Amino acid sequence: MKNTIECINCKEENPLYRLTCLKCNSFLRSRIYNINLFQTIAELFESPVSTFKNIIYSDHKNFIIWLTILMSIKFALISFQVKNIFTEGKYSITVLFTSSFSSLLIFAAFLILIALLITILNYVLGLKTRFKDNYSIYIYSFVPQIISLIILFPVEIALYREYWFTFNPSPFVIKPTVTYFLFAIEGIMIAWSLLLLIFATYAQSRNKLYSTLVGLIIGLAYFLTIILTL
């Protein structure tokens, strides 16, 4: 399995991320210095594979730390909510804020481990990729979850306050129609993130079966990580 760039000057095959040819040092593509956050998010709707390639090509992986922090907050919210569904609101809202730092470490460790394992697996399969590229494309795959955090979370808090977390009483009892609608949107965002994980892997591998399997495994590992933190 390989996804390379062929030099038009000497016909040497180079790894996808290369800017210049390993053999003759000719330029292989246009240089991309930085990632434009809002443009990148918009293009994830239109052409996700090309967008992930641009992230790989970018010299500076902008906004990675901020995206990781925001996604860690979303991870904490999901973990806290799932925890309270099974414990009937045993945990207070105060615990949510005190657990934010640990959630940051857990999610960051999860994504670092995933990016490292995929980098190693790609190498074993004959695909040369870089850790920083894999980490970048996978954190950008969680952008739908971050959008959900920024847009939906304030609405959920305004409608349900602490009951969105404690389930005592359940949001489905307080406002059933609205709750089903909000959970449907959350489900769509999760499905979109899962699809982006597949597209991100495909941008590196150009193998549909491999990309689908890796994307599904990362998604499954994400939910298992949530369950293990309960």
Side-chain angles (χ1 to χ4, degrees), residues 34-49:
N34 297 301
I35 296 172
N36 184 314
L37 179 61
F38 295 107
Q39 180 181 344
T40 298
I41 292 174
E43 289 176 348
L44 284 174
F45 285 95
E46 302 172 6
S47 52
V49 175

Side-chain angles (χ1 to χ4, degrees), residues 146-195:
I146 296 172
I147 293 175
S148 172
L149 170 68
I150 295 172
I151 297 177
L152 289 183
F153 180 61
V155 175
E156 293 160 355
I157 291 299
L159 289 173
Y160 304 100
R161 298 189 305 244
E162 70 273 15
Y163 302 116
W164 182 253
F165 301 104
T166 62
F167 277 74
N168 188 23
S170 168
F172 290 98
V173 174
I174 300 172
K175 298 179 185 292
T177 303
V178 177
T179 303
Y180 280 113
F181 178 73
L182 289 173
F183 268 83
I185 296 178
E186 293 280 7
I188 291 172
M189 292 299 189
I190 291 172
W192 183 21
S193 285
L194 182 60
L195 193 60

Side-chain angles (χ1 to χ4, degrees), residues 58-127:
S58 178
D59 292 342
H60 305 288
K61 312 300 182 184
N62 310 70
F63 309 106
I64 298 303
I65 294 177
W66 287 109
L67 291 177
T68 301
I69 292 173
L70 289 172
M71 188 55 212
S72 299
I73 295 173
K74 181 63 177 180
F75 175 85
L77 294 174
I78 295 175
S79 299
F80 192 77
Q81 190 174 43
V82 172
K83 184 183 297 183
N84 285 329
I85 289 174
F86 291 103
T87 57
E88 298 181 351
K90 178 180 177 182
Y91 294 89
S92 69
I93 195 67
T94 307
V95 179
L96 173 63
F97 297 100
T98 58
S99 64
S100 296
F101 183 70
S102 61
S103 295
L104 171 61
L105 295 179
I106 292 171
F107 179 78
F110 161 77
L111 203 57
I112 289 172
L113 180 61
I114 289 295
L116 180 61
L117 290 176
I118 295 301
T119 303
I120 295 172
L121 178 61
N122 287 345
Y123 181 79
V124 171
L125 295 175
L127 183 63

Side-chain angles (χ1 to χ4, degrees), residues 200-211:
T201 307
Y202 183 75
Q204 290 275 47
S205 67
R206 286 290 171 177
N207 185 297
K208 293 181 180 179
L209 178 60
Y210 176 73
S211 302

